[in-house]
Amino acid sequence: MNNTVEYVPEPKLAYALVFGFIMALGLLLNAMSLWTFLRHHSLKSPSTVFMVNLVISDLLFVFSLPMRVYFYATGTWPLGPFACVCTEMLFRNNIRSSSIFITFICVDRLLAVVYPLRSRHLRTSSNASKAAALVWLFVLAVNVPESVNMTRFLNNYNISSCFVFSRYQATYPYRSANTIFQFVLVLIMLAVNVVSTALVSWSLHKYLNDSARVNNTVNVMLIFVMSLVMFIICFLPVSVAVLKGWRHAMMPSICLASVNCCLDPLLYYFSLDAFWKKKEDADLARSAS
C-alpha cells in the first residue's frame, strides 16, 4: 500500500530573505577567509588546519543555500528527492563538522595556554590533518545510512516537496536515532568547550602579569566566548527542536543554525591574533634557557 502525504508548501518570503542574506554574507566572509589563509598563513599550525576545514564546511553549506532560497521564495521543489537529500545533508553536516572543528580549535588553544611545552608534540599540523580527515570520514559514514533512510522516506510517502521531514517525525522511527545522535554530539562538544573556557580563564588569571592580562586576556577569551555563543545560539536550539519535534520552533532554529557560517570568520580573526605567536616564542625561549 502506498502512502501519500498531502502537503503543498506556500512561499515564505521571510525565510527566503533570511537565507539569501546568510548566503551572500557567508559566501563573502568565508571566501575572504579562505583566501587569507592560503595567501598569508601556511598550514603549519594545527589551529590553521582546523580553521581551513571549518571554512570548507561553511562554504559547502553556503553553496546549498540557493536551493533553499528558491524553495521558500516559490513554494516549489522541481529538483527531485536526490537534490533534496543532498541539500538537507549539507546542512546537517555543517552542524556536525562545525561543532567538532570549533571544539578542536578551542582544545588547541587550551593546550597552547595551559600546557604550552608538554603539548608541542601533539600540536602539529600533521596530527591536525589526520584529525580533520577522521572528522570528514566520520561525517561521511553517518551520511550513508541517513541519506538512504531519508530517500526511502521521501519515496514511501510520495513527498514532492523538500525540507518537510520534521512534520512526519512521529511516523518515521529512524529519525529518532539520528536526532538523538546529533543532540548528544552537540552536547558533548559544548561540554568540552565549557571546560576548556574555564581552564583557560583560570590559567590566564593565574600566570599572566597585569599588563599582559589587560592586553591579551580579552583577545584570548573572545575565542572561547565566540565558540560558546555559536553552540548556545546556533547548534543547541536546532538540535533540541528536532529532538523534541517542536514544529513551530523548527524554522527559527534552522535559521539561527545557518548563521554560524557568518560568525565563524570572527573566530578566525581572534584565533590568528599575533599574541599566540608571541606567547609561543616566549615559551620556547624560556624552555631553551
Side-chain angles (χ1 to χ4, degrees):
M1 183 175 178
N2 202 12
N3 296 316
T4 302
V5 174
E6 296 294 338
Y7 174 65
V8 179
E10 297 179 357
K12 298 181 179 179
L13 295 181
Y15 292 140
L17 291 174
V18 169
F19 286 120
F21 176 78
I22 294 172
M23 177 184 65
L25 186 60
L27 180 60
L28 175 63
L29 294 178
N30 284 283
M32 290 177 59
S33 298
L34 185 60
W35 182 85
T36 301
F37 286 134
L38 298 179
R39 184 84 170 90
H40 300 290
H41 298 277
S42 61
L43 298 179
K44 294 182 179 180
S45 69
S47 58
T48 305
V49 172
F50 294 138
M51 283 184 276
V52 167
N53 280 273
L54 185 57
V55 171
I56 293 172
S57 175
D58 287 338
L59 285 175
L60 288 174
F61 170 63
V62 167
F63 293 151
S64 73
L65 287 179
M67 290 181 279
R68 285 185 180 267
V69 172
Y70 179 85
F71 173 75
Y72 289 111
T74 64
T76 60
W77 183 261
L79 301 178
F82 178 77
C84 175
V85 171
C86 290
T87 304
E88 180 69 16
M89 293 312 301
L90 285 173
F91 170 72
R92 299 185 185 194
N93 289 345
N94 180 251
I95 294 178
R96 295 162 186 170
S97 59
S98 293
S99 64
I100 297 175
F101 285 129
I102 289 172
T103 303
F104 280 178
I105 293 170
C106 288
V107 171
D108 176 71
R109 297 298 84 192
L110 164 68
L111 295 175
V113 173
V114 182
Y115 308 105
L117 301 180
R118 283 181 286 178
S119 66
R120 278 186 299 171
H121 68 286
L122 294 175
R123 297 179 55 249
T124 64
S125 59
S126 175
N127 287 339
S129 298
K130 294 175 183 177
L134 287 176
V135 171
W136 288 115
L137 288 175
F138 167 74
V139 170
L140 290 175
V142 174
N143 279 184
V144 174
E146 194 169 13
S147 299
V148 169
N149 287 328
M150 198 178 298
T151 302
R152 186 181 304 159
F153 169 75
L154 290 172
N155 292 332
N156 287 347
Y157 287 88
N158 290 336
I159 297 177
S160 59
S161 301
C162 195
F163 314 124
V164 296
F165 304 106
S166 60
R167 292 175 175 267
Y168 313 108
Q169 182 176 358
T171 63
Y172 208 64
Y174 89 88
R175 286 184 54 81
S176 298
N178 294 328
T179 52
I180 292 173
F181 160 75
Q182 180 162 308
F183 175 75
V184 171
L185 175 66
V186 170
L187 208 59
I188 292 174
M189 296 298 105
L190 175 60
V192 173
N193 278 267
V194 170
V195 172
S196 299
T197 302
L199 289 174
V200 169
S201 178
W202 173 81
S203 180
L204 288 175
H205 283 81
K206 182 176 181 180
Y207 294 112
L208 290 182
N209 58 45
D210 291 338
S211 60
R213 183 178 303 163
V214 172
N215 295 326
N216 297 326
T217 300
V218 173
N219 292 336
V220 176
M221 292 308 301
L222 279 174
I223 299 171
F224 295 90
V225 170
M226 283 298 305
S227 300
L228 292 177
V229 166
M230 281 187 279
F231 271 90
I232 295 172
I233 294 180
C234 297
F235 302 146
L236 195 58
V238 69
S239 301
V240 173
V242 174
L243 180 67
K244 296 293 186 179
W246 294 338
R247 297 181 182 181
H248 297 295
M250 200 72 67
M251 279 309 303
S253 64
I254 289 174
C255 292
L256 285 175
S258 302
V259 173
N260 91 89
C261 69
C262 301
L263 296 178
D264 286 337
L266 291 177
L267 189 68
Y268 311 147
Y269 174 80
F270 295 123
S271 297
L272 294 176
D273 190 271
F275 161 74
W276 293 110
K277 185 177 185 304
K278 293 178 182 177
K279 187 180 190 307
E280 290 172 359
D281 289 344
D283 291 331
L284 292 174
R286 283 197 299 269
S287 63
S289 61

